[in-house]
Amino acid sequence: MTDDDFAGGRLTIDLGALADNWRTLAALSPASECAAVVKADAYGTGLDRAAAALAAAGAKTFFVAHLSEARVVRAAAPEAVVYVLNGLPRGAALAYAEVGVRPVLGSREEIAEWAGFIAASGANPAAAIHIDTGMTRLGLEPAEAAELMRGGGFGFRPALLMSHLACADEPERPETERQRSAFAGLRALLPDAPASLANSAGTLLSRTAGGDLAFDLRRPGVALYGSNPVAGRPAPLKPVVRLEARVIQTRDAAAGTAVGYGGVETLARPSRLAILSIGYADGILRAGGSEDGAPGAAAYVGDVRCPYVGRISMDLIAIDVTDAPASVGRGSWVEILGDHFGVDDLGRACGTIGYEVLTGLSRRYQRLYLG
């Protein structure tokens, strides 16, 4: 046996479900290519395994945040096109070209450095241009982009024009149509360049009243991993992660007993508690704990909901297993994430989003891969 066999948590990652989610999203707009965003260790699921599974499913284009991630994708999917979203660090052009990956350039300085590298090396490596249409984060201002396109271009032919949607997870917001319209107008200045706008929410939304969001390439991320970025709108996605926690002790406690740090929750009834061997050091955010009058997240034993009791500690969580089978005891496993309580459910219970839950999945868990 190895140390993994004694881990406090067991994380199962279903690569078959990941591949199926990509196929489902690809089918929503078949005239547009469906890429895969695999930054942040493929949203916590393991970049090398996830990239290989997605490539086998048919994904040909990948997006990461850093060059180190791009190297992993290049090893897992040698024929893939790989874009690095966080741009071009100063002096990194040769490294990008040697790995055969494409920076997403979002400033005049980055564009000038990339064009200078092309001129000096005689090579012609590909890159994307990022235009800010409303996120106010990375990218050229629309006026800057228009000036460069009208003034003779960037010093090279962009392999992709892209922008990023800020509010597509709230379909009623008018900003998405404003961004689509602005991006379409700028793309018209360079009509031969492939264009990309839709993220996960944009892929699921598909279009606004003004037109199609798909363009030539879509970039789903969190939806690949089973999280629905458009709250209140069903999405045909399969859960990719299942997390179970090991029970290390059970105990009976009387009504009125305070539980955990600060004693912020007192038991309303005589209760049986199970103490789990995971905590906020494992990505179960402290905000998911409970206190009197403010319930938190919940675990499941079979179909029985077992609410968290008191504050989440660094390495421990108390849950109420009074209504669960009496067989629950030391060495039992309970569901933290799965069919009953998904990443979006835990995100809501913690006052955050499924993205943060996924990307915070601990390396202390035993990891098991299916598919």
Side-chain angles (χ1 to χ4, degrees), residues 83 102 127-131 149 153-154 156-162 183-184 186-197 214-217:
Y83 287 98
R102 304 177 177 186
I129 298 293
H130 190 163
I131 304 170
M149 286 188 273
F154 302 97
F156 56 91
R157 182 182 182 277
L160 185 71
L161 292 179
M162 61 170 281
F183 185 63
L186 289 163
R187 191 273 179 92
L189 299 175
L190 205 65
D192 292 337
S196 177
L197 178 63
F215 288 88
D216 302 295
L217 178 72

Side-chain angles (χ1 to χ4, degrees), residues 62-293:
F62 292 82
F63 287 82
V64 297
H66 301 290
L67 179 59
S68 59
E69 297 173 327
R71 293 182 188 276
V72 177
V73 176
R74 173 59 66 235
E79 304 302 317
V81 172
V82 185
Y83 287 98
V84 182
L85 290 163
N86 282 21
L88 181 69
R90 195 182 303 275
L94 177 60
Y96 277 63
E98 287 177 342
V99 182
V101 298
R102 304 177 177 186
V104 177
L105 308 173
S107 69
R108 287 179 180 268
E109 293 83 0
E110 289 182 338
I111 290 167
E113 183 169 342
W114 190 253
F117 171 73
I118 289 173
S121 66
N124 191 25
I129 298 293
H130 190 163
I131 304 170
D132 176 25
T133 57
M135 178 67 85
T136 318
R137 200 173 60 175
L138 295 176
L140 295 167
E141 293 289 338
E144 277 187 303
E147 178 186 345
L148 286 168
M149 286 188 273
R150 290 190 178 110
F154 302 97
F156 56 91
R157 182 182 182 277
L160 185 71
L161 292 179
M162 61 170 281
S163 190
H164 193 66
L165 294 170
C167 305
D169 54 334
E170 301 176 66
E172 71 282 359
R173 296 276 293 269
E175 291 91 335
T176 301
E177 167 52 23
R178 287 203 290 268
Q179 284 192 263
R180 186 211 62 79
S181 178
F183 185 63
L186 289 163
R187 191 273 179 92
L189 299 175
L190 205 65
D192 292 337
S196 177
L197 178 63
N199 54 6
S200 284
T203 296
L204 291 165
L205 188 60
S206 296
R207 60 182 298 111
T208 66
D212 195 348
L213 291 167
F215 288 88
D216 302 295
L217 178 72
R218 291 163 291 134
R219 311 187 308 273
V222 77
L224 293 171
Y225 309 96
S227 174
N228 181 2
V230 186
R233 178 177 293 196
L237 304 169
K238 295 180 178 180
V240 171
V241 299
R242 175 180 174 82
L243 175 61
E244 299 161 285
R246 189 192 301 271
V247 175
I248 53 176
Q249 184 178 339
T250 59
R251 61 190 306 138
D252 295 319
T257 302
V259 180
Y261 280 118
V264 296
E265 183 163 10
T266 53
L267 297 174
R269 62 175 181 172
S271 302
R272 184 167 183 250
L273 304 179
I275 312 304
L276 308 181
S277 186
I278 63 173
Y280 59 74
D282 302 294
I284 310 302
L285 300 175
R286 189 170 181 268
S290 66
E291 56 186 77
D292 291 337

Side-chain angles (χ1 to χ4, degrees), residues 281-357:
D282 302 294
I284 310 302
L285 300 175
R286 189 170 181 268
S290 66
E291 56 186 77
D292 291 337
Y300 275 80
V301 175
D303 293 327
V304 179
R305 185 178 188 275
C306 300
Y308 291 15
V309 183
R311 288 178 178 163
I312 294 170
S313 304
M314 183 181 292
D315 310 296
L316 300 168
I317 299 172
I319 63 171
D320 185 340
V321 294
T322 307
D323 300 323
S327 58
V328 174
R330 178 176 175 234
S332 297
W333 292 93
V334 303
E335 177 190 305
I336 301 297
L337 294 171
D339 294 334
H340 296 93
F341 202 74
V343 294
D344 298 319
D345 298 314
L346 183 55
R348 282 188 289 271
C350 295
T352 185
I353 53 178
Y355 297 76
E356 190 171 11
V357 172

